[in-house]
Amino acid sequence: MSLLMPDSGLLFWMVLSFGIVFFVLAKFGFPVITKMVNERKEYIDHSLVIAKEANEQLAHIKAEGETILAKAHEEQNVILKEAAATRERIVREAKEQARLEGEKLMAEVRQQIKMEKEDAIRDIRRQVAILSVDIAEKILRKNLDSEEEQMEMIDRMLDELTGSNNQ
């Protein structure tokens, strides 16, 4: 017997045992393996479809997020513009109110100055009237005969009055 050439009996039993094993595997093993491979293929195909849908949803969500973000930026700009307009309106109203208050205060001050001026003029007139009456009284008390004495008396009284007013 040669090592490279098997005996015919051995060859027969090897073919027979291979046929039996092949038949058992073909009948019971290969369908199970094929079924498992097909199930695995279907699972992978299904997973790929789900992944593709997930990618599409992710892209849709990303686009939606960008749209929402753009809208938020637009709303932010609108709110900022409204806030700036409101601020300007408030500042303008405050300036107008301050101007009106200033005009009101100026009118009150002018009125007060006018009243004080009128009071001062009345007081001066009253003092002039009193002084005139005092001078006339003093002149009348003294019976002055000559015109020279009258003029001297008037000058002296005027000097007294101007002297007392300057102090």
Side-chain angles (χ1 to χ4, degrees), residues 22 24-35:
F22 183 77
V24 170
L25 281 176
K27 182 75 175 172
F28 300 107
F30 289 146
V32 172
I33 292 172
T34 308
K35 181 181 173 189

Side-chain angles (χ1 to χ4, degrees), residues 5 7 9 15 23 29 62-63 65 93 102 125 127 131-132 161 167:
M5 289 300 283
D7 211 12
V15 169
F23 176 75
K62 185 177 179 183
E93 288 174 359
R125 285 184 181 161
Q127 287 179 3
L131 289 175
S132 297
L161 286 177
Q167 294 174 358

Side-chain angles (χ1 to χ4, degrees), residues 50-158:
I50 290 174
K52 184 178 178 183
E53 289 175 2
N55 280 339
E56 289 174 0
Q57 287 179 352
L58 181 64
H60 179 70
I61 290 172
K62 185 177 179 183
E64 214 173 278
E66 290 174 358
T67 304
I68 291 172
L69 188 61
K71 286 181 183 178
H73 283 297
E74 288 175 13
E75 289 179 17
Q76 178 185 14
N77 289 337
V78 168
I79 290 171
L80 287 174
K81 287 178 184 177
E82 288 176 0
T86 302
R87 178 184 50 107
E88 289 176 12
R89 181 181 51 82
I90 289 172
V91 167
R92 189 174 50 250
E93 288 174 359
K95 284 181 180 179
E96 181 65 21
Q97 187 176 6
R99 186 187 61 79
L100 291 175
E101 283 292 321
E103 287 177 1
K104 182 180 174 183
L105 286 174
M106 287 300 291
E108 288 176 6
V109 167
R110 285 185 188 119
Q111 184 67 24
Q112 187 177 2
I113 289 172
K114 183 180 177 183
M115 290 173 55
E116 288 177 4
K117 180 181 172 184
E118 289 174 359
D119 287 344
I121 289 172
R122 273 195 297 270
D123 189 40
I124 290 172
R125 285 184 181 161
R126 187 176 48 79
Q127 287 179 3
V128 167
I130 290 172
L131 289 175
S132 297
V133 170
D134 285 345
I135 290 173
E137 183 181 330
K138 286 182 181 180
I139 291 174
L140 289 176
R141 277 193 202 156
K142 190 169 189 178
N143 193 3
L144 300 174
D145 292 336
S146 70
E147 188 176 319
E148 192 176 294
E149 288 177 354
Q150 288 176 359
M151 289 307 286
E152 187 179 306
M153 177 67 154
I154 290 173
D155 287 338
R156 190 180 52 195
M157 289 291 183
L158 285 174

Side-chain angles (χ1 to χ4, degrees), residues 5-16:
M5 289 300 283
D7 211 12
S8 62
L10 179 63
L11 189 61
F12 171 75
W13 288 113
M14 282 176 59
V15 169
L16 182 67

Side-chain angles (χ1 to χ4, degrees), residues 40-52:
R40 180 73 178 163
K41 181 182 179 267
E42 288 175 9
Y43 176 75
I44 290 172
D45 289 342
H46 182 68
S47 295
L48 287 173
V49 169
I50 290 174
K52 184 178 178 183

